[in-house]
Amino acid sequence: MTPAEVAAAAARAEEDADGDFDFEAEEAEASGNMRRSILLKTKKIVRFFKQSEIATAKLIELQRAEGIAEPNCLKHVQEVRTRFNSCYDMCDRYLKLASFTARVLLELQRSRQSKARAPEALTAEEEDTLTEMRDLLAPLARATKEISGEKVCTLSKAIPVVRNLVKVSIEPLRGGLVKAKMAQAEDADAANCEDGGPDAEAPASSSNGDRDEFWGEWDEQVKRQSRSQSNQDMAGGIPVQLRSYLDRPPVARESNPDPLQAWQSFKAEYQFVHQVAEEFLCILGTSIPSERLFSHAGLFSTPIRSKLSAKHLEMLVFLRSCPVELWFN
């Protein structure tokens, strides 16, 4: 070794001895780069199927050979940055079609029927990592669907959805790094919470095989609180109807999916509280409907329709926003 190489080796040894080298940071960075590369590789494969009619036809043909009816045959879903949960949809659909996809790509690589060169399929290790990312994105996708409803009120779901995201089970996740990071975040969140109340209770285990993983713990807490709810009157300073409403057991989410319908049964008993609930519970917890109207307006107002007046544009957007049931019923 040259004197320069000896000096560099001594410096590295000194850094390792001092503990300045952060192995965990290096491992996290490498793991993050690997996940990004797997996502890019998956997007490349999906793009190939979207651009190749031969690959898509063979994919459907293999599914039909397995006994799947043609209307139920699946195609790949591409990730679009402006579309909610598109990354989760892409990962989930690829994993469902992984075996068919690998067979199609291998056949096209050998026969060279397509003009573009078929990309390499994901390896078993890469599919495991993709499964981990899919499981990590699944609660976020579920929360987006829960809060993005247009025909039912969603404002009352905002706080429960956030709590479910924090407390959702991480056991299905296989990656040790992701599990450790989420466990640290949960420990930090638990340290900042006050003791007592439903949040401080341990998650209830359920023997029901159909238990909803996202809402399961919340529903169990509501049931426990309903059983232990005290009927004693509270101290003064609160209106009688509000005090009576706060003393009643919580309403189960499964039997009352729409809070406004549940409040209809409370209207006679809690007349004034019902007025407040009717005013605020009908608010949507998302801006998706308004964004969709802007998209519809962009579809109608094109350079070809340069003479379209604002009044007629408003009428077209309104007609487009009407549900199908209103048209045919």
Side-chain angles (χ1 to χ4, degrees), residues 108-324:
L108 293 179
Q109 288 172 0
R110 291 177 177 177
S111 62
R112 297 183 180 179
Q113 297 179 9
S114 61
K115 296 181 180 179
R117 179 178 175 81
E120 296 290 337
L122 297 183
T123 63
E125 183 178 357
E126 291 173 339
E127 286 186 11
D128 289 341
T129 306
L130 191 67
T131 303
E132 177 188 345
M133 290 188 286
R134 190 270 312 269
D135 295 340
L136 181 63
L137 294 173
L140 298 175
R142 178 66 185 277
T144 304
K145 292 180 180 179
E146 290 284 348
I147 208 68
S148 300
E150 297 185 37
K151 298 182 179 180
V152 295
C153 53
T154 57
L155 184 64
S156 58
K157 285 186 176 181
I159 295 177
V161 164
V162 173
R163 294 170 66 182
N164 289 340
L165 281 177
V166 175
K167 293 182 174 296
V168 68
S169 175
I170 61 174
E171 288 302 322
L173 300 179
R174 303 180 183 180
L177 180 62
V178 176
K179 187 181 296 186
K181 292 296 183 182
M182 292 185 68
Q184 292 175 5
E186 286 190 348
D187 293 341
D189 182 71
N192 295 330
C193 294
E194 297 180 356
D195 295 335
D199 291 342
E201 298 181 7
S205 60
S206 175
S207 58
N208 187 6
D210 298 331
R211 179 176 181 268
D212 192 336
E213 293 296 334
F214 189 83
W215 287 104
E217 183 181 350
W218 177 270
D219 294 337
E220 290 293 334
Q221 291 178 358
V222 169
K223 293 178 182 178
R224 289 197 300 268
Q225 189 171 350
S226 299
R227 290 192 296 264
S228 61
Q229 186 74 23
S230 174
N231 293 324
Q232 297 179 358
D233 196 8
M234 298 176 61
I238 301 179
V240 177
Q241 285 192 14
L242 179 59
R243 183 166 66 247
S244 176
Y245 168 71
L246 294 176
D247 284 344
R248 66 171 288 112
V251 178
R253 179 190 61 87
E254 304 96 321
S255 56
N256 298 275
D258 190 352
L260 290 179
Q261 294 181 358
W263 270 101
Q264 288 298 322
S265 60
F266 303 152
K267 184 176 182 179
E269 186 177 359
Y270 310 107
Q271 178 181 359
F272 301 107
V273 183
H274 173 267
Q275 295 177 4
V276 178
E278 195 175 37
E279 179 179 357
F280 291 101
L281 282 184
C282 59
I283 301 175
L284 294 176
T286 175
S287 62
I288 288 180
S290 61
E291 294 173 3
R292 184 173 288 115
L293 288 179
F294 276 106
S295 299
H296 294 163
L299 295 176
F300 291 127
S301 181
T302 61
I304 301 177
R305 295 180 171 182
S306 58
K307 294 185 178 180
L308 185 65
S309 64
K311 180 179 180 181
H312 288 108
L313 176 61
E314 182 180 355
M315 295 170 64
L316 289 173
V317 173
F318 169 75
L319 293 176
R320 179 63 179 82
S321 63
C322 294
V324 180

